[in-house]
Amino acid sequence: MSSTRPNLAVRIAVQCVAWALSAGMTIVLLPFLILFWLWSALTDYSDTVKKKKKSTSKGSLVSRGLGASHYVQLKDVSIHYIEAGDRSRPLMLCLHGFPEFWFSWRHQLKEFSTTHRVVAVDLRGYGDSDKPNGRDAYKMDKLVDDVRQIIDILGNGKCDVLLAHDWGAGIGWELVIRHPELVGRFVPMNCPHPAAFIDIISTEYSQILKSWYMIFFQLPVVPEKLLTAFGASLFCWVFQRPGLEHKDAKAYLDLYQHPSDLTGPINYYRSMIDPDTMGQPGKRVKVPTLLIWGNEDRFLNISMAHRSAKWAENFTLGLIPEASHWVQQDAPRSVNEKIREFL
């Protein structure tokens, strides 16, 4: 047991440090929050956002020729997805991360539609998919089961290639651990095997510092307010990187205009603090796996990528030196080449 799960005392210590960091950050940001709430009251901000016509992820984005917009009805949520490629071809399913939506796979939708039926979903709580209330609606069991149902319905129980980034890759790791028969090949991006994540965050203090936001997101309302305040300047900082075109950045800003637009995505983090959300981190992956990693990731130590090799039987690590955490958008040509080689 000790070889597969971190020492309980270490985990408690890590959580205490993270809570302290979160509390400190909240104190620093409190004056700005007060100013924002005052400004909201004086300008009647709550009314103006109700009158705004909210842009959805369909419409102008689909008109770029990226694919067709569809919905699939699951047991308790309706999931929106964009599809490119002939439906007779093998399924390539794409799962995005935080705080993204199907659009983060625009380069792969174009690239692989000649050989696969490429499906890029909006995960529950995101984009044009249903957004159930409460953090319990975003526990790992539900997220994994969503993907299982999507594969059953759209792929007749088989996904030839699962592409996944960040939170989507976290779900993907759990899927291939629990249901290896559903996936032929797995390509996670800038997200380690869950056991590797626990190992590193329990032992490397630099990763603890980088992970402060995971605990900060446990606060109610405050994260949503901050990320959408003052022209979403903090949200822009999260995505800040060279090479991001203005029209692409605007797609994300249009989707996350209001605090409530981020409640579902942030609830992913709020649910992960529960013990039963940890999943099955100590199990090895048998599905052939290509882990793609942007070396310039500001949020996750690269040691997590190397440690993941310990937890997969058929494992390849593809490093992209010029890319950040948003690897498939930063370096689409390099990422697509590595995927092609893997396939």
Side-chain angles (χ1 to χ4, degrees), residues 76 124 136-147 149:
D76 59 347
R124 67 161 61 201
D136 286 351
Y138 299 89
K139 289 186 176 182
M140 186 59 75
D141 286 349
K142 289 183 178 292
L143 303 176
V144 171
D145 196 56
D146 282 353
V147 180
Q149 291 180 69

Side-chain angles (χ1 to χ4, degrees), residues 149-181:
Q149 291 180 69
I150 291 169
I151 293 173
D152 281 346
I153 297 171
L154 299 185
N156 292 318
K158 189 66 177 180
C159 173
D160 183 48
V161 185
L162 179 62
L163 304 184
H165 173 250
D166 186 76
W167 254 104
I171 300 168
W173 281 109
E174 285 293 336
L175 180 77
V176 297
I177 289 171
R178 302 181 190 192
H179 307 288
E181 72 283 356

Side-chain angles (χ1 to χ4, degrees), residues 7 26 37 44 62 67 76 91 98 108 114 132 148 179 198 200 211 221 246 249 285 325:
N7 182 275
T26 304
W37 283 323
D44 198 19
V62 177
D76 59 347
L91 176 65
F98 174 90
Q108 288 68 44
T114 57
R148 181 194 63 78
H179 307 288
I198 292 174
I200 298 302
S211 302
V221 182
H246 173 73
V285 171
H325 180 76

Side-chain angles (χ1 to χ4, degrees), residues 28 54 56 67 80 120 128 136 142 168-169 195 219 274 286 332 337:
V28 170
K54 179 185 173 185
T56 68
H80 172 252
D128 294 308
D136 286 351
K142 289 183 178 292
L219 297 173
D274 296 333
K286 298 181 180 179
E337 286 176 355

